[in-house]
Amino acid sequence: MNNRRQSLLQGALIGAFFTPTLMTVMFIGERFAQLPNLPFDFFNWVARTLPGSLITFGIDRMVDVLIGLGLGSNLDDAAKTAEQIMALITFWIIGVVAGIVFFAVRNALKVDRDNTIPGIGFGLLVGAPFVLISFAVNVSSPQSPVVQLAWFGLLYAGLGAALQWAWHALSDGSQQQEISKNDNVSVVPLNRRQFLLQVGGASATLTVVGAGLGGLLSATEGEPARNDFISGTALTDSAGNPLPNANDPVQPAPGTRPEYTPVRDHYRIDILSGGLPSIPQDYTLPIFGLVENEVEWTLDEIMEMPSREDFITMSCISNRIGGSLISTTKWTGVSFQEILERVQPSEDAVAMRIIGADNFDEYIPLDMVREDERIMLAYWWDDAPLPLRNGFPLRVHIPDRYGMKQPKWILSIEFVDAHEPGYWVRRGWDAEAIVRATSVIDTVADDAIYEANGQMMVPIGGMAWAGDRDIVSVQVRVDEGEWEDAQLRAPLGERAWTIWRYDWPFSEGTHNFTVRTFEAPPEGQSDPVPQISERAGTRPSGATGYHNLQEIVREPEAETSTEA
Ligand SMILES: Nc1nc2c(c(=O)[nH]1)N[C@H]1C(S)=C(S)[C@@H](COP(=O)(O)O)O[C@H]1N2
Ligand SMILES: [Mo]
């Protein structure tokens, strides 16, 4: 290997060693001082700039891998993890390239070998685009630009100085290189190898210790548990109010998802790959544009208006059949009709343009609002302020639409004269995003087999949901058998999922269980509408197809055990 190539390889190694340390320091900066975390901001920006399908594709493949490895049972966690891994790898690769470039530049530069200035200059040059991008996309850091500039200036000047130091140490006595030219056992002289090993070891140690430190901090940061329902049979919400269907005789099969999702288990999906937006202490909501009365309301003012309260199931359009991106809780807020009443849209206003603190945007047509008093500006979930991850202080609810049409972290509402495509619609997702009927088997409870009239029965259960349309029946099929009707538990409300249960006459062995649902006929028709059976992926309009499970169902343990 010639000197030049060898030096570039050393540059790559140094870049590979230093970058994780830099990422760790940024991670700690985020944890302790809410400073931006550049790898995530950068990836966020890349994700917004590249075509949506490319990123979705990349994330989907990684989610498959994570779930395949058993690292994520929970789809939204897996998606976040996938995004973060991609962000870290991207940043690391750029760091490796920066190492190579620096060594190349420094080799070529006719500046005094000991001079640190080129190193610092290079570091700042590498950092500048990342910092600029972070300024453009980061919404979570409350730190002022001056503090951010100082922090990243320091970090990148430090990186540059460290690169210079490593280059200096490694290129020292480059003439000696010639000696080992023909020695293929030890291409790198021992002192260099030792140097690289030491730098590698030190950076690995720093990274592990730093990540541990940051991890510890986040472990203590979790939201306090407000409600602790274990299975589907909660009788009250977490404030102790009885749930509307508490007296329903149909009990969920053991292992069915909680009918009322504990808020801290509610799924989360948004365009932020790192932290959460920071919401100002003195938050107010400006409503302006084509209205008679422009207003700027405090949260208290909004909460004094007549409120409504609804049990609502929300799903992400990216939820796969049987996926976890769907949850149910009680929403409290103000009908947008109340708001129209107060602001008086002018005649040419046709839509509201809503902007979130992450710069997510969506449009809501005024005609839709005028026809549907249920469309609301929500401030509570489960009788408590929205958690920051789920949109504090205000978010939108629109019945029968997937989550992508319903902004969180609302910063402003502008009345405009044109209805334009919102954030996800511009990226190729369905403009209407109307919910498609779905049904899921949560459990084949062979640990809860019971005997009835001399027949062993296995409780099977799950949920069915069709937005705001009623679920009229759910059917289960075992292997190639007949479709059998399940019992339906009354839902928590007209927009909440329906918990169902089917008690199946047990037969031992491996079986294939399939579920389907029917929703109420549209107005003027009499036949219930079957769930779409044809399999389709989530993009662009939401997944369709039947959920099925293959399970080995075992005979319960014989009562006269032969075990010692
Ligand atoms: N501001 C903002 N609102 C948003 C999003 C977002 O990225 N930013 N994502 C939407 C999508 S795609 C979904 S599925 C729901 C998820 O809400 P949750 O995270 O509270 O479950 O929020 C919607 N509202
Ligand atoms: Mo979503």
Side-chain angles (χ1 to χ4, degrees), residues 202-537:
S203 114
T205 311
L206 275 174
T207 305
V208 169
V209 169
L213 206 70
L216 263 183
L217 201 72
S218 23
T220 55
E221 213 180 42
E223 283 159 30
R226 269 173 46 80
N227 36 22
D228 263 304
F229 312 125
I230 303 122
S231 91
T233 47
L235 299 182
T236 66
D237 66 16
S238 62
N241 307 307
L243 292 176
N245 62 356
N247 297 324
D248 195 285
V250 178
Q251 287 301 307
T256 306
R257 75 191 59 208
E259 182 169 25
Y260 189 67
T261 313
V263 168
R264 70 192 142 94
D265 294 340
H266 198 288
Y267 84 89
R268 172 190 170 196
I269 285 289
D270 44 65
I271 60 175
L272 297 173
S273 40
L276 287 162
S278 79
I279 304 294
Q281 287 286 310
D282 51 352
Y283 173 90
T284 52
L285 173 69
I287 305 185
F288 59 98
L290 304 173
V291 291
E292 298 303 319
N293 313 315
E294 292 198 341
V295 294
E296 182 141 0
W297 286 326
T298 64
L299 275 182
D300 283 342
E301 284 172 317
I302 292 169
M303 288 166 67
E304 274 160 18
M305 297 174 193
S307 66
R308 51 179 302 130
E309 185 180 285
D310 299 288
F311 289 87
I312 289 169
T313 296
M314 179 174 62
S315 170
C316 182
I317 197 164
S318 306
N319 194 32
R320 302 171 184 202
I321 297 297
S324 58
L325 304 183
I326 181 167
S327 309
T328 301
T329 190
K330 183 168 69 178
W331 295 51
T332 307
V334 179
S335 167
F336 270 101
Q337 290 186 350
E338 287 283 344
I339 293 169
L340 296 198
E341 196 68 29
R342 286 168 170 72
V343 301
Q344 292 295 322
S346 45
E347 262 174 23
D348 43 352
V350 303
M352 292 183 286
R353 173 169 186 253
I354 302 186
I355 309 280
D358 53 351
N359 288 323
F360 179 92
D361 63 309
E362 241 318 327
Y363 291 74
I364 305 178
L366 296 186
D367 284 347
M368 193 161 130
V369 172
R370 292 194 176 101
E371 275 163 25
D372 191 344
E373 64 183 8
R374 302 171 304 172
I375 299 173
M376 73 164 129
L377 182 64
Y379 45 78
W380 278 0
W381 269 7
D382 189 36
D383 291 315
L386 290 168
L388 184 54
R389 65 197 289 280
N390 300 109
F392 178 85
L394 293 168
R395 68 181 300 166
V396 166
H397 163 66
I398 307 176
D400 209 29
R401 297 295 189 276
Y402 284 115
M404 59 169 271
K405 302 294 288 183
Q406 313 182 41
K408 312 194 271 190
W409 304 306
I410 296 174
L411 283 195
S412 68
I413 301 179
E414 180 183 357
F415 282 68
V416 292
D417 61 5
H419 183 181
E420 279 167 49
Y423 185 93
W424 284 118
V425 180
R426 293 196 298 277
R427 284 161 182 79
W429 293 84
D430 196 301
E432 301 288 328
I434 294 174
V435 168
R436 299 177 132 169
T438 192
S439 54
V440 178
I441 304 172
D442 287 339
T443 174
V444 175
D446 65 352
D447 52 350
I449 294 182
Y450 66 97
E451 201 184 311
N453 306 322
Q455 169 66 55
M456 303 298 260
M457 305 294 282
V458 184
I460 300 175
M463 67 82 177
W465 183 61
D468 67 344
R469 290 109 59 198
D470 286 345
I471 294 295
V472 293
S473 67
V474 171
Q475 296 181 332
V476 176
R477 186 177 64 187
V478 183
D479 303 320
E480 300 307 308
E482 297 290 310
W483 287 104
E484 303 285 353
D485 279 324
Q487 294 171 275
L488 304 185
R489 187 172 160 82
L492 289 165
E494 123 273 8
R495 273 161 280 163
W497 53 29
T498 296
I499 299 293
W500 58 265
R501 164 184 187 133
Y502 168 61
D503 291 57
W504 169 59
F506 166 78
S507 80
E508 196 168 47
T510 302
H511 296 285
N512 199 9
F513 301 88
T514 310
V515 65
R516 70 176 181 191
T517 187
F518 291 78
E519 61 176 74
E523 260 191 33
Q525 292 176 33
S526 56
D527 290 334
V529 181
Q531 170 185 347
I532 299 172
S533 62
E534 188 181 275
R535 282 194 163 262

Side-chain angles (χ1 to χ4, degrees), residues 28-51:
I28 292 176
E30 185 197 13
R31 290 290 142 181
F32 283 90
Q34 290 173 273
L35 282 152
N37 197 345
L38 297 189
F40 295 144
D41 285 348
F42 179 70
F43 189 75
N44 215 328
W45 174 79
V46 173
R48 290 182 193 198
T49 312
L50 289 184

Side-chain angles (χ1 to χ4, degrees), residues 104-160:
V105 168
R106 202 59 186 84
N107 288 338
L109 218 59
K110 300 272 172 284
V111 183
D112 174 12
R113 286 174 37 80
D114 294 330
N115 195 334
T116 316
I117 302 293
I120 293 177
F122 181 83
L124 293 176
L125 213 63
V126 169
F130 288 105
V131 174
L132 286 178
I133 286 170
S134 170
F135 278 154
V137 301
N138 186 292
V139 289
S140 51
S141 179
Q143 299 289 8
S144 73
V146 177
V147 173
Q148 294 188 24
L149 276 178
W151 167 247
F152 290 116
L154 213 69
L155 288 190
Y156 276 100
L159 175 72

Side-chain angles (χ1 to χ4, degrees), residues 5-25:
R5 287 243 304 277
Q6 191 168 348
S7 174
L8 296 190
L9 184 68
Q10 288 166 359
L13 278 174
I14 290 298
F17 293 152
F18 283 175
T19 312
T21 308
L22 179 68
M23 295 195 291
T24 307
V25 176

